[in-house]
Amino acid sequence: MSSEYELTIGVVERLTYHSAESGYSVARFKTPGNRDLVTIVGSFPNIQAGQTLKLTGIWREHPKFGQQFQVTQYQETKPATITGIEKYLGSGLIKGVGPVTAKRIVAHFGFDTLDIIEYSIERLKEVPGIAKKRVKMIQEAWDKQKAIKEVMVFLQGHGVSTTYAVKIYKHYGDESITTVTNNPYQLATDIYGIGFVTADAIARNLGIAPDSEYRYRAGIIHVLGEAAEDGHCFLPYMELTEKVVERLTIADHQPLPQVITKLIFQMAMDEELVMQGHRHHQFVCYQKPFFTSEQNLAKGLHQLLSRPVVVDKERVIGWIDKFTKVTGMPLSPQQRQAVEMAATQKILILTGGPGTGKTFTTRTIVALWKAMGKSIVLASPTGRAAKRLNEMTGCEAKTIHRLLEFDPRTMKFKRDADNPIEAQSVGIDEASMLDLFLGHSLLKAIPKDAQLLLVGDIDQLPSVGPGNVLRDLIASQQIPVVRLEQVFRQAQASHIVRNAHRINSGQYPTLESVSLSPRSDCLWLNAPEPEHGVQGIRELLTDVIPKLGFDPAKDVQVLCPMTRGEVGTRNLNAVLQELLNPPCQGKAELFRGGMKLRVGDRVIQQVNDYNREVFNGDLGVIAAIDNEEQEITVQFEERFVNYDYADINELALAFAVTIHKAQGSEYPVVILPIFMQHYVMLSRNLIYTGLTRGRKLAVIVGTTKAIGLAVRQVKDSERYTYLQERLRLLFA
């Protein structure tokens, strides 16, 4: 091993690993005069196969991987060989130029290729198959790359990856460097994937003092944002102070608590946040949109409920009697009460666990509304749940975002109080998924003379977003509620249903060991350690599940408590991708930012993308990868959606997803790895939610200790919300 710095020049042959977050990369490198490739390791904000690099660094001996060149500095130069120019052009650097087009261009211009593109790009028309339109596209892409490279050169010293440099440029354009210099904390607000920590690092490098008020204000807003990610609508001001001090403490500086507290009060006076008195916490702090939405949601519910419903109750009762007689499907007393109340109340919440008849009750309510001549709209938070609602009722059902007609130009819903939904009755399924903002947006758009039905299971996990809307509405005791509790005989035959109720009551589930002739639809595979769990899941998918009549690629969804660990989504997705969608000749692949994607992969949308009309949690399949256009096409249900390479970090592999992401969805088969490795996440409502996603078969893989812990731990999502208190005050 040499401790002296050395200089080497060569060409990047292929990327072994690249982290979009840190820029850390491992690549195979070809140096002149050497037949063997060498391994280089270092931080590269931008690295592509085909790049010619001048490297400075140290040779090190890795105990597992052997000799590696540890890069400390690098400089990109023009490729020196025909092959290098081909690889450079065809690496995905320029939209419109893939490997085939690159080969044709280099075959025509040889070593002059890059100079031709830089100074005489119109000559590309000399190349067979490149028309004027393609030349213009290549020129725009080349010019854009030059502009992006300026941004990347600026950001490289601040630890920002190529992926985010592209996003920054797309968002701010030519103002990128000015914006980042003037207000680096704006990145955390505007750019998906860049958080406060990265923005703070940039600010430090730009010379912004750690005790600047600018940094403190950004830190206060950031901590409230982190709280919102945990479901909170506000934080008590003392807790906010403590968390801000902890978050903003660095090696050479710790903020004084009294300074932060004083600034919180000042920000409230400046209307940058809202402070409110609270009976338990003296003062609590909201970001303004959270306060406004919670307050207006309560007011809207109060106003809607204050308008009475005029209906002939005797006719409603007569219709119910006739309906049950004709269909031969009697209603339980609770179900009948729900149907009657849906006709007579402005708002009704219908809740209950699996097998209690929510589906049949909802279908009957919709049939009654139809018989009453009402115009009806139905919706659900997710596409899959909306599709199921459509199948359940025979009426068209949409996602709530589509129902409210989101306009990406204004970033607002078109449907609101001034332009309400055209309906007399509105039914919302999977209402436990409604967060504060979606709940408020929905209520604003409901006509004042309309009725609202909310259907959901409050024992499931709460919404991913802030608030606990359905639970708060029920807890307020101001909204009419029917809770279905009777499990019907047909549902009792399902061990999934029976075990869901056992779990919900704190009892250990009754599980049958996996076999090829199971008598139960709820199975268990004992796996003492996580690595045994990974192997067990492989064997289930390759051997057991196909023999039980299911297609592992289409019918099965693995649901994990967390993303991390051997039995977390990240590792399992890598394992299952190779198992269920292995590479083969002719199947397009893409390596980007440490992520490997190929045609046929199941993927999940990780953020609401209003421009493409795809939303957090939507599942799709990669239908095409186009290296020429630098696009991938994903099929979501019946829709095909295109993504630029710069935006693919909105997607993740979805052979395994978290239980949280699976809310509102059902699958023929679910596999649940439950291990002590994820003990911090294990809870009763987590395993209950995961189990009830399985329609025909559920398999728990793990240990009895972990399952027992999950059943015992009641984490009723202690979220800071004030909605139920606001409702009580309004109705007092």
Side-chain angles (χ1 to χ4, degrees):
M1 181 183 75
S2 172
S3 61
E4 297 179 3
Y5 282 91
E6 296 186 14
L7 184 69
T8 185
I9 298 174
V11 178
V12 178
E13 285 290 315
R14 65 177 181 271
L15 279 179
T16 304
Y17 176 78
H18 175 73
S19 167
E21 286 289 335
S22 64
Y24 176 77
S25 307
V26 181
R28 298 289 280 166
F29 196 66
K30 175 75 172 169
T31 56
N34 290 325
R35 293 173 59 187
D36 296 332
L37 299 178
V38 299
T39 299
I40 62 171
V41 179
S43 182
F44 297 83
N46 180 30
I47 186 168
Q48 306 268 1
Q51 280 181 309
T52 300
L53 302 177
K54 186 184 292 184
L55 307 176
T56 304
I58 300 174
W59 288 101
R60 296 182 183 278
E61 190 71 27
H62 190 281
K64 184 175 180 182
F65 300 111
Q67 196 174 54
Q68 299 177 338
F69 190 74
Q70 182 74 46
V71 179
T72 54
Q73 290 183 327
Y74 78 95
Q75 180 182 351
E76 184 179 356
T77 64
K78 286 185 177 180
T81 66
I82 293 292
T83 303
I85 295 171
E86 274 184 22
K87 283 190 175 183
Y88 180 69
L89 273 186
S91 65
L93 185 73
I94 306 167
K95 189 169 184 176
V97 179
V100 176
T101 304
K103 196 174 187 69
R104 288 206 303 265
I105 293 172
V106 176
H108 190 82
F109 294 113
F111 285 103
D112 296 329
T113 296
L114 298 181
D115 287 333
I116 293 292
I117 294 174
E118 180 71 46
Y119 303 111
S120 306
I121 198 164
E122 68 280 352
R123 288 190 59 194
L124 289 181
K125 287 185 287 186
E126 299 172 16
V127 179
I130 297 185
K132 186 176 180 180
K133 183 179 177 183
R134 176 62 64 90
V135 172
K136 184 179 180 184
M137 185 169 69
I138 293 171
Q139 182 172 20
E140 288 174 353
W142 183 261
D143 291 342
K144 186 176 180 181
Q145 276 297 324
K146 286 199 296 183
I148 290 171
K149 279 194 174 184
E150 286 183 19
V151 175
M152 289 195 297
V153 166
F154 171 76
L155 295 175
Q156 183 174 343
H158 305 297
V160 180
S161 72
T162 307
T163 301
Y164 294 132
V166 172
K167 281 187 167 289
I168 290 168
Y169 183 80
K170 284 179 70 175
H171 192 87
Y172 300 120
D174 294 337
E175 299 298 315
S176 298
I177 292 175
T178 302
T179 302
V180 172
T181 303
N182 291 342
N183 184 10
Y185 295 103
Q186 194 66 34
L187 297 176
T189 302
D190 293 342
I191 311 297
Y192 172 71
I194 293 184
F196 175 82
V197 174
T198 302
D200 197 34
I202 294 171
R204 293 292 306 278
N205 286 329
L206 291 170
I208 295 176
D211 63 347
S212 73
E213 184 176 307
Y214 197 50
R215 178 173 182 258
Y216 286 179
R217 285 176 181 260
I220 289 166
I221 296 299
H222 170 66
V223 168
L224 286 173
E226 283 189 320
E229 291 177 6
D230 291 332
H232 302 301
C233 296
F234 62 80
L235 283 179
Y237 89 97
M238 290 297 291
E239 186 174 333
L240 176 58
T241 297
E242 291 170 9
K243 288 181 180 293
V244 171
V245 169
E246 181 183 349
R247 168 59 71 187
L248 295 185
T249 296
I250 50 179
D252 55 350
H253 176 73
Q254 182 177 32
L256 293 171
Q258 58 267 34
V259 172
I260 298 299
T261 298
K262 183 178 178 181
L263 188 54
I264 289 169
F265 279 85
Q266 183 61 51
M267 289 175 72
M269 292 177 64
D270 295 340
E271 297 187 350
E272 291 180 48
L273 51 82
V274 176
M275 292 191 75
Q276 178 179 288
H278 192 286
R279 60 179 178 174
H280 297 306
H281 304 290
Q282 189 177 5
F283 289 107
V284 298
C285 302
Y286 288 84
Q287 292 187 72
K288 283 186 75 174
F290 291 75
F291 176 82
T292 304
S293 294
E294 190 178 75
Q295 185 180 58
N296 289 341
L297 175 56
K299 287 180 179 178
L301 288 163
H302 179 255
Q303 289 170 3
L304 194 60
L305 279 166
S306 66
R307 302 169 75 98
V309 179
V310 179
V311 66
D312 185 339
K313 192 169 181 181
E314 292 303 316
R315 288 189 66 186
V316 170
I317 293 171
W319 182 90
I320 296 172
D321 291 338
K322 185 177 178 182
F323 180 82
T324 54
K325 186 175 181 180
V326 170
T327 59
M329 300 281 286
L331 293 165
S332 71
Q334 288 177 325
Q335 288 178 312
R336 189 180 184 96
Q337 180 192 14
V339 177
E340 289 180 14
M341 290 176 69
T344 59
Q345 300 292 330
K346 289 290 286 185
I347 305 176
L348 172 66
I349 295 173
L350 176 64
T351 188
T356 57
K358 289 197 305 296
T359 296
F360 180 62
T361 307
T362 303
R363 187 188 304 149
T364 306
I365 289 170
V366 172
L368 172 59
W369 282 346
K370 281 183 183 177
M372 295 172 74
K374 291 181 175 289
S375 55
I376 304 166
V377 297
L378 303 175
S380 187
T382 69
R384 280 176 171 252
K387 186 177 181 181
R388 198 170 68 247
L389 184 58
N390 165 246
E391 293 167 352
M392 176 203 313
T393 62
C395 290
E396 180 188 11
K398 301 177 180 179
T399 63
I400 296 174
H401 285 87
R402 290 202 175 93
L403 174 67
L404 300 180
E405 299 176 25
F406 190 86
D407 185 352
R409 292 172 301 174
T410 62
M411 296 302 287
K412 294 180 180 178
F413 291 112
K414 293 180 182 178
R415 297 291 183 177
D416 56 18
D418 298 322
N419 182 30
I421 300 162
E422 295 176 4
Q424 295 168 301
S425 297
V426 179
I428 304 297
D429 195 19
E430 297 291 350
S432 62
M433 296 179 67
L434 285 175
D435 66 20
L436 174 65
F437 295 114
L438 193 57
H440 177 225
S441 296
L442 173 68
L443 195 76
K444 278 196 300 184
I446 292 174
K448 297 296 181 279
D449 60 346
Q451 293 174 278
L452 174 62
L453 171 68
L454 297 173
V455 183
D457 182 351
I458 60 167
D459 294 318
Q460 290 185 25
L461 291 167
S463 61
V464 175
N468 211 342
V469 173
L470 188 66
R471 186 178 288 271
D472 282 350
L473 297 189
I474 294 172
S476 75
Q477 299 182 328
Q478 306 303 319
I479 312 291
V481 178
V482 174
R483 179 157 192 162
L484 304 178
E485 295 175 325
Q486 178 185 339
V487 179
F488 289 90
R489 188 180 304 166
Q490 185 178 358
Q492 286 178 347
S494 166
H495 286 80
I496 292 176
V497 171
R498 287 159 62 180
N499 279 326
H501 286 279
R502 286 181 65 86
I503 289 167
N504 207 25
S505 62
Q507 299 178 67
Y508 194 91
T510 303
L511 302 170
E512 178 184 327
S513 294
V514 167
S515 70
L516 295 180
S517 54
R519 293 167 296 171
S520 170
D521 59 359
C522 197
L523 306 178
W524 176 54
L525 181 63
N526 182 34
E529 300 293 337
E531 57 265 32
H532 300 140
V534 175
Q535 184 58 32
I537 291 170
R538 290 176 63 97
E539 291 172 2
L540 283 170
L541 291 168
T542 55
D543 186 29
V544 178
I545 283 172
K547 290 177 180 175
L548 294 177
F550 298 104
D551 183 340
K554 295 179 181 178
D555 296 334
V556 182
Q557 184 62 61
V558 178
L559 301 178
C560 307
M562 291 177 70
T563 58
R564 296 191 297 273
E566 286 179 272
V567 282
T569 59
R570 288 176 191 163
N571 183 57
L572 284 176
N573 270 316
V575 171
L576 299 180
Q577 182 186 44
E578 297 307 302
L579 184 71
L580 299 175
N581 189 33
C584 67
Q585 191 171 4
K587 186 184 287 185
E589 292 186 329
L590 169 67
F591 297 85
R592 197 80 171 183
M595 182 164 58
K596 176 168 59 178
L597 298 174
R598 64 174 64 105
V599 170
D601 279 344
R602 191 186 306 167
V603 291
I604 188 168
Q605 179 75 14
Q606 300 189 97
V607 62
N608 288 339
D609 187 329
Y610 298 107
N611 289 295
R612 294 184 175 90
E613 289 192 2
V614 285
F615 302 103
N616 191 355
D618 284 356
L619 286 175
V621 175
I622 295 178
I625 296 175
D626 189 332
N627 287 316
E628 297 278 335
E629 298 292 335
Q630 291 193 39
E631 287 183 342
I632 72 170
T633 302
V634 179
Q635 182 176 2
F636 293 97
E637 299 289 343
E638 307 302 322
R639 297 176 62 236
F640 289 87
V641 179
N642 293 328
Y643 292 79
D644 290 336
Y645 281 5
D647 295 328
I648 62 173
N649 67 333
E650 292 185 6
L651 298 169
L653 288 173
F655 297 103
V657 300
T658 62
I659 295 172
H660 282 84
K661 290 284 189 183
Q663 285 177 267
S665 296
E666 284 186 349
Y667 314 93
V669 181
V670 295
I671 297 175
L672 304 171
I674 305 294
F675 288 85
M676 292 302 295
Q677 189 177 72
H678 295 150
Y679 74 94
V680 293
M681 288 296 295
L682 296 180
S683 69
R684 187 178 298 174
N685 59 2
L686 184 91
I687 192 171
Y688 172 87
T689 302
L691 192 67
T692 53
R693 300 310 90 202
R695 197 163 59 244
K696 297 180 179 178
L697 179 66
V699 185
I700 298 177
V701 179
T703 65
T704 55
K705 182 179 180 181
I707 297 169
L709 176 66
V711 171
R712 288 193 304 275
Q713 285 205 118
V714 179
K715 294 182 180 178
D716 265 341
S717 297
E718 292 295 332
R719 296 184 169 194
Y720 288 127
T721 72
Y722 203 59
L723 180 60
Q724 61 173 291
E725 287 85 352
R726 292 187 194 281
L727 284 167
R728 285 176 183 154
L729 289 169
L730 285 168
F731 283 95

